Amino acid sequence: MIRKVLTPRPGWQEKAEAAGFIFHHVDGEIYWDESVCYSFTLRQVEADIEDATQELVGMCLDTVADAVESEEILTRLAIPPAAWDLVRASWREGDATLYGRFDLAYDGQSPARMYEFNADTPTSLYESAYFQWLWLEDARGTGLVRKDADQYNSIQETLIETFASYGIATPMHFSCVAGSAEDLATVHYLRDCAEQAGITTRHIYIEDIGVDQNGQFIDLENAPIRHLFKLYPWEFMVRDAFAPYLATCDTQFFEPPWKMLLSNKGILPLLWERYTNHPNLLPAWFHDPYRRAPYGDFVLKPLFSREGANIRAFRDYEEKVSTGGQYGAEGYVGQLLCPPPFIDGHGPVIGSWVVNNTACGMGIREDDGPITGNLSRFVPHVIEG
């Protein structure tokens, strides 16, 4: 795993915008950073990333199978009791899942360690699945990387195959909240994949979804929403005004309700309790503010949190770093502190993608601090050797 300094392609910003990548800068700071890339060997990718991710998927699914049947666990995860039957029914009926992203610490030598599983509303999909592949094609052609360089990236093909497997014959709606260019780009990209699979699609913002007199969700034209991809967290949905209709409507949701267990940081201590000392896991526990943590170097993460918000990092039981945000009211989990492997002052985090529960690609985000947040940079990767 080598961090390589490269020369950005001339006119890369224009190429990005022509390809629909309009959020290559965020708040004036660079987000897509092709001045560097990470180079891996095929063995590192196959054994340390792909195989490890596939094993983590199986462990997560086995843990959910037990969790949905346990009121104690659902309570520990702060799932509202009114949503318990919704979650159980979704799991028991085998509701289909689309995608998710494991965030991993990896230094090229030791086993990859799981930070968390973004199982409900992961972003950075477009840049992982599509734009970094366009970069690779250019980089090979111009000699920036070896002509035989490859990339761990079958995300788009797997997405299209998965959409085709659903057998959806009526329009599928794709939704996110208004005002986020990144969320909208992710939704547009997924729409394109669905259309390549032969599905008719529609876009609607979350704020514009309505409910008819029969308790069914409808769009702005009063057409029924039978299939809905929503880039909107389940922990919000089960607390929103339309929550009472979720269990009785005819809408098929992507991600399904059972995914709210995996997107919950409480899955981390549940996995550790079940698979203690597994090489791809970090020690984790449900945080009790009145009890001393089992390790002096640890992080606290809210059960519900996005983009590195409300994270607190401790060294020898003293808080050293914290991030702001609006999360934490439902409780925290603790996790052994495991900083990313800093290379030249930059800490990469591997985003390992799964589609239809199959490991199929990765993207890398880099930050100058110990916590990867919403202003981290996305950098491409290659397989060389």
Side-chain angles (χ1 to χ4, degrees), residues 293-308:
Y295 301 88
D297 296 348
F298 65 98
V299 294
L300 292 181
K301 301 179 177 182
L303 288 175
F304 306 117
S305 178
R306 307 277 161 178
E307 298 182 322

Side-chain angles (χ1 to χ4, degrees), residues 5-17:
V5 177
L6 302 175
T7 301
R9 295 167 296 164
W12 72 264
Q13 295 190 31
E14 290 78 8
K15 292 181 179 182
E17 290 164 11

Side-chain angles (χ1 to χ4, degrees), residues 181-193:
E182 182 182 9
D183 286 3
L184 186 60
T186 300
V187 166
H188 283 339
Y189 174 67
L190 284 167
R191 279 188 69 189
D192 182 69
C193 290

Side-chain angles (χ1 to χ4, degrees), residues 214-264:
N214 298 315
Q216 301 298 321
F217 293 110
I218 55 174
D219 63 19
L220 289 172
E221 298 177 353
N222 294 323
I225 298 176
R226 301 300 186 199
H227 313 278
L228 177 66
F229 173 86
K230 54 18 151 245
L231 200 65
Y232 188 66
W234 269 108
E235 64 262 26
F236 292 174
M237 291 180 65
V238 296
R239 292 171 172 83
D240 281 349
F242 55 68
Y245 305 104
L246 293 171
T248 56
C249 70
D250 294 334
T251 302
Q252 179 185 23
F253 294 102
F254 296 92
E255 292 299 307
W258 62 264
K259 273 297 202 68
M260 75 175 80
L261 275 65
L262 290 181
S263 64
N264 188 305

Side-chain angles (χ1 to χ4, degrees), residues 340-367:
F342 275 80
I343 304 173
D344 300 329
H346 308 283
V349 170
I350 305 295
S352 185
W353 289 94
V354 295
V355 176
N356 193 22
N357 292 324
T358 301
C360 57
M362 71 176 175
I364 301 174
R365 288 172 300 147
E366 201 180 59
D367 208 300

